[in-house]
Amino acid sequence: MDITPITRDDFRAFWPTFQAIVEAQETYAFDPNMDFDSAWRLWCELPQFTFVVKQDGELLGSYYLKPNAAGPGDHICNCGYMVTPQARGKGVARAMCEHSQRVAIDAGYLAMQFNAVVATNEVAIRLWQKLGFEIIGTVPGGYRHRELGLVDTRIMYKALR
């Protein structure tokens, strides 16, 4: 797998995956009616880093990394990961998370925090735990799941140094 900084052409190819994940309203608290340009700004321009994962020219996923907070809280980063449907279960999310931790350390971050992992996203929670993240809090009813209604979100954290 090759993980490289995202380009606008990469995001154009990734857009159907991004749009489907956001519209599903199962894991991301992004506006399901977001247009391409708004999504580009949110995923690619506002974060400090955004990467794309490809293998043999096939796009498999993307992630962003940014400070979790400003000023005195900017030593902790936050990431978001999305995997294309055809790449699920093939180690892409693991590769992105491991890569993001190396990038975060190189950028000087001391820790990584996921603010709102939807509790029904059990596959992701198990993976993050295998990679050393701990659940440090729960927000009861923190997410309006399209099918299940209000579900909890987990705050997950890992010290990087």
Side-chain angles (χ1 to χ4, degrees), residues 20 27 63 73-75:
T27 56
Y63 82 87
D74 69 0
H75 59 288

Side-chain angles (χ1 to χ4, degrees), residues 56-73:
D56 300 323
E58 179 184 4
L59 195 144
L60 305 176
S62 179
Y63 82 87
Y64 69 78
L65 186 149
K66 64 183 183 181
N68 194 52

Side-chain angles (χ1 to χ4, degrees), residues 13-87:
F14 182 64
W15 170 241
T17 295
F18 181 96
Q19 195 172 29
I21 289 171
V22 172
E23 286 177 353
Q25 298 176 49
E26 296 174 347
T27 56
Y28 272 86
F30 293 163
D31 180 356
N33 299 311
M34 185 181 315
D35 65 16
F36 178 88
D37 289 328
S38 298
W40 166 258
R41 278 189 297 280
L42 178 71
W43 194 262
C44 303
E45 289 182 348
L46 295 177
Q48 184 177 3
F49 303 102
T50 304
F51 292 92
V52 66
V53 182
K54 294 179 185 175
Q55 189 167 36
D56 300 323
E58 179 184 4
L59 195 144
L60 305 176
S62 179
Y63 82 87
Y64 69 78
L65 186 149
K66 64 183 183 181
N68 194 52
D74 69 0
H75 59 288
I76 297 174
C77 66
N78 173 266
C79 293
Y81 311 89
M82 289 187 185
V83 176
T84 62
Q86 67 273 16

